[in-house]
Amino acid sequence: MSDLTTLEQAILEQISQARDEAALEAVRVAALGKKGSISALLATLGKMAPEQRRSEGAAINQARDRIAAALSGRREVLKAAALDARLARETIDVTLGLREPPSESGRIHPLSQVWDELTIIFADMGFSVAEGPDIETDDYNFTRLNFPVGHPAREMHDTFFFQPRDDGSRMLLRTHTSPVQVRTMLSQKPPIRVICPGRTYRTDSDATHTPQFHQVEGLVIDKGSHLGHLKWILHEFCKTFFEVNEINMRFRPSFFPFTEPSLEVDVQCRRDKNEIRFGEGSDWLEILGCGMVHPNVLTACGIDPDEYQGFAWGMGIDRIAMLKYGMSDLRQFFDGDMRWLSHYGFKPFDIPTLSGGLSSWLLPEGSAGPHSDGPAWPELSAFSP
Ligand code: DAH
């Protein structure tokens, strides 16, 4: 047997033994690749006498063709075997139920929903949204809002302070959204009409207080703005937000350093066991603070109080969310408990609109949510984690 025949048989043997496409490829490279054994034989042809070259060349080429044919034949067999193995491995159970898509199973946190609801309501009244940083200066959080240094009203805000800087000034986590009023007045010319929803912080924790919570501030600055406008805006807001046709509100005198006069606002409601209905009853629930912007604040923010006046209000977003949707413990807002979220959360595509309805309830068919004329609210105790 010639060397060529022996080599060819050895290669054909390797081809038939190759167990997968990678092994087959290795055989191909070793035989027909640039440095392969058959290629090496072909390279010797140049040095042969013409006669010998003709006969040897034909023999080597034929051997190469047979090897190439054997390679492609084996490749087909291995491919088919690989496919069969895959088909056997990857079985699909067509009787399995479809997995719910995220649009069905995901939930929007009630806080985000309420944030959207109130933004829509105020946007419809012509308010734009202003934002500010969570880490504030003492100046914007207190001093320019007419809390003089050392004033006891500062102590009412349980403030998270950062370490003092070299110059003695201290940054803090804003205790309310009112510093965004300051930022807005310093950066915009009146007339101003903004709401400022955002995160706020106080060192406080119980069922209705968490160290981080949310407020929405409102600010209107114009030449003729007055308390009548403020009352109308808040009245319209409450009716729309609580989705009732009429709502009674009570404005009580109060104190905030940055407003004069200052008022606190209660809404009328009826508390029945665990239910709250708005627009009826003999109970009152405090929902916000408001007032006419103090002239000292206008001056500190570069606005002439002899030319302009304005009003402002501040409201806890978590609080109105709890009131509207019947949660009793604020801390659960931050627990990330999926059971709570799937109970109180909203479907992602149920985006609140004024025309389509603000709240689309995740309640059984027939329940109407917080309408005073609808069926009753769900019992708060319906959900127990
Ligand atoms: N900043 C107040 C607080 O956190 C809430 C507030 C009351 C804001 C009256 C206002 C306002 O703008 O006018 O307690």
Side-chain angles (χ1 to χ4, degrees), residues 157 175-178 181 202 215 217-218 256 258-259 289-291 312-315:
H157 291 220
T175 56
H176 50 177
T177 41
S178 305
Q181 282 190 33
R202 291 190 198 180
Q215 286 190 342
E217 192 83 9
F256 302 105
F258 37 88
T259 43
C290 61
W313 68 91
M315 188 161 39

Side-chain angles (χ1 to χ4, degrees), residues 111-374:
L111 189 64
S112 307
Q113 184 83 4
V114 165
W115 188 305
D116 287 349
E117 288 179 20
L118 62 88
T119 307
I120 284 169
I121 298 172
F122 285 120
D124 191 59
M125 295 189 208
F127 284 81
S128 49
V129 173
E131 287 179 319
D134 292 14
I135 298 175
E136 260 302 358
T137 61
D138 187 286
D139 185 36
Y140 284 7
N141 195 81
F142 289 127
T143 314
R144 286 191 204 234
L145 287 166
N146 200 32
F147 289 81
V149 175
H151 193 283
R154 284 181 176 232
E155 307 310 318
M156 287 159 59
H157 291 220
D158 305 303
T159 313
F160 286 108
F161 285 104
F162 287 82
Q163 294 294 346
R165 293 189 291 203
D166 289 345
D167 62 3
S169 65
R170 284 183 302 181
M171 298 296 280
L172 47 82
L173 288 176
R174 66 180 178 193
T175 56
H176 50 177
T177 41
S178 305
V180 189
Q181 282 190 33
V182 176
R183 291 176 174 273
T184 307
M185 287 188 268
L186 287 173
S187 62
Q188 288 180 28
K189 286 203 162 18
I192 292 173
R193 202 187 296 182
V194 290
I195 57 160
C196 326
R199 279 189 290 265
T200 43
Y201 305 82
R202 291 190 198 180
T203 58
D204 217 354
S205 187
D206 59 35
T208 51
H209 298 89
T210 47
Q212 190 249 300
F213 56 107
H214 302 83
Q215 286 190 342
V216 57
E217 192 83 9
L219 175 69
V220 172
I221 305 284
D222 210 337
K223 289 190 170 154
S225 49
H226 56 70
L227 275 182
H229 297 140
L230 172 66
K231 286 178 78 172
W232 181 83
I233 289 172
L234 295 176
H235 192 235
E236 286 305 302
F237 169 78
C238 286
K239 269 196 313 189
T240 317
F241 178 75
F242 290 112
E243 299 179 61
V244 289
N245 295 330
E246 212 22 82
I247 197 156
N248 287 322
M249 303 175 76
R250 193 167 71 175
F251 289 76
R252 282 182 289 108
S254 182
F255 170 77
F256 302 105
F258 37 88
T259 43
E260 181 56 44
S262 300
L263 308 153
E264 270 174 335
V265 179
D266 305 327
V267 286
Q268 189 183 26
C269 65
R270 182 155 63 79
R271 275 195 251 212
D272 251 351
K273 283 186 271 167
N274 285 333
E275 290 173 25
I276 303 175
R277 285 168 181 273
F278 294 96
E280 56 183 275
S282 55
D283 287 325
W284 294 92
L285 269 177
E286 184 197 323
I287 58 158
L288 61 92
C290 61
M292 296 301 294
V293 179
H294 197 293
N296 289 353
V297 175
L298 293 174
T299 309
C301 297
I303 291 179
D304 181 358
D306 292 329
E307 194 179 354
Y308 287 103
Q309 55 190 14
F311 51 83
W313 68 91
M315 188 161 39
I317 301 181
D318 319 78
R319 181 167 167 77
I320 59 171
M322 288 170 79
L323 291 177
K324 180 168 179 180
Y325 292 115
M327 299 89 164
S328 51
D329 192 333
L330 176 59
R331 290 167 295 200
Q332 288 177 335
F333 275 54
F334 304 94
D335 277 349
D337 184 332
M338 288 304 292
R339 295 165 303 175
W340 186 88
L341 193 57
S342 58
H343 181 82
Y344 285 110
F346 292 81
K347 291 194 170 178
F349 289 140
D350 287 346
I351 296 163
T353 61
L354 288 179
S355 55
L358 287 178
S359 55
S360 13
W361 279 66
L362 283 179
L363 294 179
E365 291 285 307
S367 309
H371 298 266
S372 60
D373 50 355

